[in-house]
């Protein structure tokens, strides 16, 4: 089991540019989550999908953020246009979605917007 | 508004002694609580959990205690080992299980050899 795979590991971009983060969940998992980690707020849930359908996007900061899950093995989080305050570590996680099955996190993408 | 609070950003403990990490929550609808451990440059990994119908859950060196009336939980690590040095996140979820976890800001634990 390769675990949750995120790419890229690091992204440095200039303000105003479009950023796309990618995630491959664990095969067979039907729930996928995008979290953002900052020093001040810890891990914040941005959005989660169940069976490829967005269930709760109330954590998405604003319209500059969008997420898609076109199939069970791939999801993207896009920021357009990016701003310096978006700098953070973005984690993708997946779970089997049955009862209280734990979340399995990827190693994150560290985003720096200059 | 932080619904899950970890008021100690850092904690240092001598190797072999007990480490106690604390967590408070404000939402009375939370009924399932978890601890995750995170090493640098890695994602958090699940450590231990507890349901609101229990007040204690033990797994090897790790024990989680839940005090529902105080809306407080704690993680005890006995004995502490150098490999336990990491950031520990407390998390909580509501009736629908862990489909939506609310995390605290984390506590950095350093075990001193």
């Amino acid at each position: 089991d390769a675990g949750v795979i995120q790419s890229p590991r690091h992204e440095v971009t200039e303000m105003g540019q479009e950023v796309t983060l990618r995630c491959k969940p664990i095969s067979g998992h039907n729930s996928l989550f995008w979290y953002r980690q900052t020093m001040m707020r810890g891990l914040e849930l941005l959005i989660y999908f169940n069976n490829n359908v967005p269930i709760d996007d109330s954590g998405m900061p604003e319209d500059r953020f969008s997420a898609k899950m076109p199939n069970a093995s791939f999801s993207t989080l896009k920021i357009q246009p990016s701003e310096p305050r978006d700098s953070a570590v973005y984690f993708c996680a997946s779970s089997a979605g049955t009862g209280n099955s734990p979340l399995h996190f990827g190693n994150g993408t560290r985003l720096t917007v200059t | 508004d932080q619904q899950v609070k970890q008021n100690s950003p850092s904690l240092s403990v001598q190797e072999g002694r007990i480490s106690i990490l604390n967590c408070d929550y404000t939402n009375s609808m939370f009924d399932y609580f978890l601890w995750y451990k995170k090493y640098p440059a890695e994602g958090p990994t699940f450590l231990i959990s507890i349901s609101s119908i229990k007040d204690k859950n033990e797994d090897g060196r790790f024990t989680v205690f839940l005090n529902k009336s105080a809306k407080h939980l704690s993680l005890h690590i006995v004995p502490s080992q150098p490999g336990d040095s990491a950031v520990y996140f407390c998390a909580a979820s509501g009736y629908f299980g862990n489909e939506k976890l609310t995390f605290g800001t984390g506590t950095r634990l350093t075990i001193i050899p």
Side-chain angles (χ1 to χ4, degrees):
Chain A
D1 186 350
V4 176
I5 299 173
Q6 291 186 248
S7 63
R9 288 299 310 272
H10 301 274
E11 177 78 43
V12 180
T13 191
E14 291 184 347
M15 183 174 64
Q17 296 298 305
E18 177 179 299
V19 175
T20 299
L21 311 182
R22 296 172 175 80
C23 175
K24 177 179 168 56
I26 292 173
S27 177
H29 281 188
N30 58 10
S31 292
L32 182 139
F33 307 78
W34 282 100
Y35 279 87
R36 176 171 69 177
Q37 183 190 8
T38 60
M39 289 293 292
M40 291 300 296
R41 302 182 66 84
L43 282 162
E44 298 176 276
L45 177 66
L46 300 177
I47 186 172
Y48 84 91
F49 296 84
N50 184 262
N51 292 322
N52 313 338
V53 176
I55 302 300
D56 186 341
D57 65 354
S58 60
M60 295 287 261
E62 48 198 271
D63 291 346
R64 297 185 298 107
F65 285 68
S66 63
K68 293 182 179 179
M69 192 164 186
N71 56 62
S73 59
F74 184 65
S75 176
T76 59
L77 178 68
K78 185 178 294 187
I79 309 172
Q80 165 64 16
S82 58
E83 297 182 3
R85 61 191 167 120
D86 302 330
S87 297
V89 181
Y90 291 80
F91 287 102
C92 175
S94 69
S95 77
T98 54
N100 291 316
S101 51
L103 270 61
H104 297 260
F105 283 81
N107 285 334
T109 295
R110 180 175 293 279
L111 174 64
T112 303
V113 184
T114 61
Chain B
D1 177 32
Q2 284 286 121
Q3 296 186 66
V4 177
K5 300 177 184 179
Q6 294 177 256
N7 292 319
S8 298
S10 63
L11 175 69
S12 294
V13 174
Q14 207 78 31
E15 181 179 358
R17 305 295 289 267
I18 182 171
S19 295
I20 300 176
L21 295 94
N22 293 303
C23 177
D24 297 293
Y25 61 96
T26 57
N27 189 339
S28 57
M29 296 301 291
F30 288 147
D31 69 348
Y32 188 65
F33 304 89
L34 308 90
W35 285 93
Y36 279 77
K37 176 179 179 179
K38 183 184 180 304
Y39 292 120
E42 295 183 9
T45 56
F46 170 72
L47 188 58
I48 192 169
S49 63
I50 188 167
S51 167
S52 60
I53 62 173
K54 293 185 173 183
D55 54 17
K56 176 183 174 181
N57 188 27
E58 195 171 347
D59 183 1
R61 296 185 299 113
F62 302 91
T63 302
V64 56
F65 295 91
L66 175 62
N67 182 334
K68 290 187 291 292
S69 61
K71 293 190 177 67
H72 177 83
L73 64 155
S74 61
L75 174 68
H76 293 211
I77 307 173
V78 182
S80 300
Q81 299 175 354
D84 296 330
S85 294
V87 176
Y88 289 78
F89 288 97
C90 171
S93 71
Y95 176 75
F96 294 104
N98 70 346
E99 287 296 285
K100 184 173 179 178
L101 285 180
T102 300
F103 283 85
T105 51
T107 296
R108 180 176 302 279
L109 175 66
T110 302
I111 305 302
I112 305 165

